[in-house]
Amino acid sequence: MCHACGENVICCDLCAHRCRIHDGKAGICGVRENVAGTLHPLTYGKVSAEAIDLIEKKPLNHFLPGTLSYSLGGVGCNFRCKHCQNWQISQISEFRGMLHTLSPEEGVRRAVKAGCRSIAWTYNEPTIWHEYTKDMGRLAHDQDLKTIYVTNGYMTEEALKDIAPVLDAFRVDIKSFSDSFYRSVCSARLAPVLESTVVAKECGMHIETVTLIIPGMNDSPDEIRSLIRWVVENLGPETPMHFTGFYPQYHMDHTAPTSAGTLERACVMAKEEGILYPYTGNVGHTDYQNTYCPSCGALLIERRGFMADASGLDGSQCRACGEKTPIVV
């Protein structure tokens, strides 16, 4: 995903920064380097984190609920979020000594052996791992494993369409509905995130959005309502929206944490605007953690922490009234 754009200069087409990378230099992500006119993905097959997670931890509430997901992370990121919770692996300048090698074949083998239903690329931004995730994704599909990006959504249309055949779920952070927030807090822009999310939807991927609500920064009712309306109009009212709580992190360690009440109010707004499945996260138990049938109100999935009991479902239908739900099982 690159092309020459000048003598010894390569344009990387993976993410919306579209970095112009000079010989011997790397792009903003720090892991894609121009070596004598060829773009090298320095972290292909290099893993910093490996875990067997409940899929609800991603969080994904409507995609293979109650199953295990083989989760992998690398290093580097194309954002510079001041509140990053995984800054130890995403915001580093020297990484070679902290990684172990894992081939795509071995990753798929371990996922199958662990009884996982999916592979998730997570913990840091998977966009910059494009070649590796694409190769593993092909092999995963051969073994009937689903695949997941836990992503900031800052990828180009061409990169997204290139990986779409082997990517099933797009769990995207929409960090704010303000471009000024994206520029000042993340060193990025809002529009490419929205654009890629729409493309992912058009490509047939399962979409769930997550917005981390930060007190005094992206928590105004007007902004939250505008985000909700955008999701309804562009992704559909059946799209699960997660509103999660902030805790002081990284360069924002003096900012107050988010209250459960703030997240519940966001869910109330979401319901008012037509979202069928709004959720809270990261603040303990609230009324907006379970999944209810939008037709009859029956409890479909009960959640305690990351544990999920989907006994209210018969396949993807409500066991009580037979209503078809958009839950992938």
Side-chain angles (χ1 to χ4, degrees), residues 127-150:
T127 297
I128 61 177
W129 231 5
H130 183 87
E131 295 86 354
Y132 181 60
T133 61
K134 184 178 176 182
D135 289 346
M136 191 180 290
R138 290 195 194 99
L139 298 173
H141 277 190
D142 288 343
Q143 296 297 319
D144 294 323
L145 293 169
K146 299 296 185 181
T147 55
I148 302 159
Y149 261 18
V150 177

Short mmCIF file of all heavy atoms in Angstrom, two decimals, residues 127-150:
data_model
loop_
_atom_site.label_atom_id
_atom_site.label_comp_id
_atom_site.label_asym_id
_atom_site.label_seq_id
_atom_site.Cartn_x
_atom_site.Cartn_y
_atom_site.Cartn_z
N THR A 127 -4.17 -1.07 11.81
CA THR A 127 -3.99 -0.58 10.44
C THR A 127 -2.54 -0.67 10.00
O THR A 127 -2.24 -1.05 8.86
CB THR A 127 -4.47 0.88 10.33
OG1 THR A 127 -5.87 0.93 10.60
CG2 THR A 127 -4.20 1.47 8.95
N ILE A 128 -1.62 -0.33 10.90
CA ILE A 128 -0.20 -0.27 10.54
C ILE A 128 0.44 -1.66 10.46
O ILE A 128 1.61 -1.78 10.09
CB ILE A 128 0.58 0.63 11.51
CG1 ILE A 128 0.51 0.09 12.94
CG2 ILE A 128 0.02 2.05 11.46
CD1 ILE A 128 1.32 0.90 13.95
N TRP A 129 -0.33 -2.69 10.76
CA TRP A 129 0.10 -4.10 10.69
C TRP A 129 -0.49 -4.76 9.46
O TRP A 129 -0.66 -5.98 9.41
CB TRP A 129 -0.41 -4.80 11.94
CG TRP A 129 0.60 -5.58 12.72
CD1 TRP A 129 1.94 -5.68 12.50
CD2 TRP A 129 0.32 -6.40 13.87
NE1 TRP A 129 2.52 -6.49 13.44
CE2 TRP A 129 1.54 -6.94 14.30
CE3 TRP A 129 -0.84 -6.71 14.57
CZ2 TRP A 129 1.65 -7.79 15.41
CZ3 TRP A 129 -0.74 -7.55 15.67
CH2 TRP A 129 0.49 -8.07 16.08
N HIS A 130 -0.82 -3.98 8.46
CA HIS A 130 -1.69 -4.39 7.36
C HIS A 130 -1.28 -5.72 6.71
O HIS A 130 -2.10 -6.63 6.57
CB HIS A 130 -1.71 -3.28 6.30
CG HIS A 130 -2.63 -3.55 5.15
ND1 HIS A 130 -3.97 -3.22 5.17
CD2 HIS A 130 -2.41 -4.12 3.94
CE1 HIS A 130 -4.53 -3.55 4.03
NE2 HIS A 130 -3.61 -4.11 3.26
N GLU A 131 -0.04 -5.83 6.31
CA GLU A 131 0.39 -7.03 5.58
C GLU A 131 0.25 -8.27 6.46
O GLU A 131 -0.17 -9.34 6.00
CB GLU A 131 1.84 -6.88 5.11
CG GLU A 131 2.04 -5.78 4.08
CD GLU A 131 2.27 -4.40 4.70
OE1 GLU A 131 2.16 -4.28 5.94
OE2 GLU A 131 2.55 -3.46 3.93
N TYR A 132 0.61 -8.14 7.72
CA TYR A 132 0.56 -9.26 8.66
C TYR A 132 -0.88 -9.69 8.93
O TYR A 132 -1.21 -10.87 8.88
CB TYR A 132 1.26 -8.84 9.95
CG TYR A 132 1.31 -9.89 11.04
CD1 TYR A 132 1.93 -11.12 10.84
CD2 TYR A 132 0.77 -9.63 12.30
CE1 TYR A 132 2.01 -12.06 11.85
CE2 TYR A 132 0.84 -10.56 13.32
CZ TYR A 132 1.46 -11.77 13.09
OH TYR A 132 1.54 -12.71 14.10
N THR A 133 -1.75 -8.73 9.21
CA THR A 133 -3.14 -9.09 9.50
C THR A 133 -3.84 -9.64 8.26
O THR A 133 -4.67 -10.54 8.36
CB THR A 133 -3.92 -7.88 10.05
OG1 THR A 133 -3.94 -6.82 9.09
CG2 THR A 133 -3.31 -7.37 11.34
N LYS A 134 -3.48 -9.14 7.11
CA LYS A 134 -4.07 -9.66 5.87
C LYS A 134 -3.68 -11.11 5.64
O LYS A 134 -4.52 -11.96 5.31
CB LYS A 134 -3.65 -8.79 4.69
CG LYS A 134 -4.29 -9.18 3.36
CD LYS A 134 -3.84 -8.23 2.25
CE LYS A 134 -4.40 -8.67 0.91
NZ LYS A 134 -3.93 -7.78 -0.19
N ASP A 135 -2.39 -11.42 5.84
CA ASP A 135 -1.92 -12.79 5.66
C ASP A 135 -2.56 -13.73 6.69
O ASP A 135 -2.99 -14.84 6.35
CB ASP A 135 -0.40 -12.86 5.77
CG ASP A 135 0.31 -12.23 4.58
OD1 ASP A 135 -0.35 -11.97 3.55
OD2 ASP A 135 1.53 -11.99 4.68
N MET A 136 -2.63 -13.30 7.94
CA MET A 136 -3.23 -14.14 8.97
C MET A 136 -4.73 -14.27 8.74
O MET A 136 -5.32 -15.32 9.00
CB MET A 136 -2.95 -13.59 10.36
CG MET A 136 -3.34 -14.55 11.48
SD MET A 136 -2.99 -13.92 13.15
CE MET A 136 -1.21 -13.96 13.17
N GLY A 137 -5.36 -13.19 8.26
CA GLY A 137 -6.79 -13.23 8.01
C GLY A 137 -7.19 -14.27 6.98
O GLY A 137 -8.20 -14.96 7.13
N ARG A 138 -6.40 -14.39 5.93
CA ARG A 138 -6.68 -15.42 4.92
C ARG A 138 -6.66 -16.81 5.55
O ARG A 138 -7.56 -17.64 5.32
CB ARG A 138 -5.63 -15.37 3.80
CG ARG A 138 -5.68 -14.16 2.89
CD ARG A 138 -4.85 -14.43 1.65
NE ARG A 138 -4.58 -13.23 0.89
CZ ARG A 138 -3.45 -12.53 0.95
NH1 ARG A 138 -2.47 -12.93 1.76
NH2 ARG A 138 -3.27 -11.45 0.22
N LEU A 139 -5.64 -17.06 6.34
CA LEU A 139 -5.51 -18.37 6.98
C LEU A 139 -6.60 -18.60 8.01
O LEU A 139 -7.10 -19.73 8.17
CB LEU A 139 -4.13 -18.49 7.63
CG LEU A 139 -2.93 -18.38 6.69
CD1 LEU A 139 -1.63 -18.32 7.48
CD2 LEU A 139 -2.91 -19.55 5.71
N ALA A 140 -6.98 -17.55 8.70
CA ALA A 140 -8.05 -17.65 9.70
C ALA A 140 -9.36 -18.07 9.04
O ALA A 140 -10.08 -18.95 9.54
CB ALA A 140 -8.22 -16.33 10.44
N HIS A 141 -9.69 -17.45 7.92
CA HIS A 141 -10.92 -17.80 7.22
C HIS A 141 -10.90 -19.25 6.73
O HIS A 141 -11.94 -19.92 6.70
CB HIS A 141 -11.16 -16.84 6.07
CG HIS A 141 -11.82 -15.56 6.47
ND1 HIS A 141 -12.29 -14.64 5.57
CD2 HIS A 141 -12.10 -15.05 7.70
CE1 HIS A 141 -12.83 -13.61 6.22
NE2 HIS A 141 -12.72 -13.84 7.51
N ASP A 142 -9.73 -19.74 6.37
CA ASP A 142 -9.61 -21.13 5.95
C ASP A 142 -9.97 -22.09 7.09
O ASP A 142 -10.39 -23.22 6.84
CB ASP A 142 -8.19 -21.44 5.48
CG ASP A 142 -7.86 -20.79 4.14
OD1 ASP A 142 -8.80 -20.38 3.43
OD2 ASP A 142 -6.66 -20.69 3.82
N GLN A 143 -9.81 -21.62 8.34
CA GLN A 143 -10.11 -22.44 9.51
C GLN A 143 -11.44 -22.04 10.16
O GLN A 143 -11.71 -22.39 11.31
CB GLN A 143 -8.98 -22.30 10.54
CG GLN A 143 -7.64 -22.82 10.07
CD GLN A 143 -7.67 -24.31 9.78
OE1 GLN A 143 -8.26 -25.07 10.54
NE2 GLN A 143 -7.04 -24.73 8.69
N ASP A 144 -12.27 -21.29 9.42
CA ASP A 144 -13.59 -20.86 9.90
C ASP A 144 -13.50 -19.96 11.13
O ASP A 144 -14.43 -19.93 11.95
CB ASP A 144 -14.50 -22.06 10.20
CG ASP A 144 -14.84 -22.84 8.94
OD1 ASP A 144 -15.02 -22.21 7.88
OD2 ASP A 144 -14.91 -24.08 9.01
N LEU A 145 -12.42 -19.22 11.26
CA LEU A 145 -12.29 -18.22 12.31
C LEU A 145 -12.71 -16.86 11.76
O LEU A 145 -12.37 -16.51 10.63
CB LEU A 145 -10.84 -18.12 12.80
CG LEU A 145 -10.27 -19.31 13.54
CD1 LEU A 145 -8.76 -19.15 13.70
CD2 LEU A 145 -10.92 -19.48 14.91
N LYS A 146 -13.43 -16.09 12.56
CA LYS A 146 -13.76 -14.72 12.20
C LYS A 146 -12.60 -13.81 12.59
O LYS A 146 -11.75 -14.16 13.42
CB LYS A 146 -15.04 -14.27 12.89
CG LYS A 146 -16.28 -15.09 12.52
CD LYS A 146 -16.62 -14.96 11.05
CE LYS A 146 -17.93 -15.67 10.74
NZ LYS A 146 -18.27 -15.58 9.29
N THR A 147 -12.58 -12.61 12.01
CA THR A 147 -11.48 -11.68 12.24
C THR A 147 -12.01 -10.30 12.63
O THR A 147 -13.07 -9.88 12.17
CB THR A 147 -10.61 -11.55 10.99
OG1 THR A 147 -11.44 -11.17 9.87
CG2 THR A 147 -9.89 -12.85 10.67
N ILE A 148 -11.23 -9.61 13.45
CA ILE A 148 -11.67 -8.36 14.06
C ILE A 148 -10.55 -7.33 14.06
O ILE A 148 -9.41 -7.65 14.44
CB ILE A 148 -12.11 -8.60 15.52
CG1 ILE A 148 -13.23 -9.63 15.60
CG2 ILE A 148 -12.51 -7.29 16.20
CD1 ILE A 148 -13.37 -10.27 16.99
N TYR A 149 -10.87 -6.11 13.68
CA TYR A 149 -10.01 -4.96 13.92
C TYR A 149 -10.60 -4.15 15.08
O TYR A 149 -11.76 -3.75 15.02
CB TYR A 149 -9.95 -4.05 12.69
CG TYR A 149 -8.73 -4.22 11.80
CD1 TYR A 149 -7.95 -5.36 11.85
CD2 TYR A 149 -8.39 -3.23 10.88
CE1 TYR A 149 -6.84 -5.51 11.01
CE2 TYR A 149 -7.28 -3.37 10.05
CZ TYR A 149 -6.52 -4.51 10.11
OH TYR A 149 -5.44 -4.66 9.29
N VAL A 150 -9.81 -3.94 16.11
CA VAL A 150 -10.13 -2.95 17.15
C VAL A 150 -9.31 -1.72 16.79
O VAL A 150 -8.10 -1.67 17.02
CB VAL A 150 -9.80 -3.49 18.55
CG1 VAL A 150 -10.08 -2.43 19.61
CG2 VAL A 150 -10.61 -4.75 18.83
#
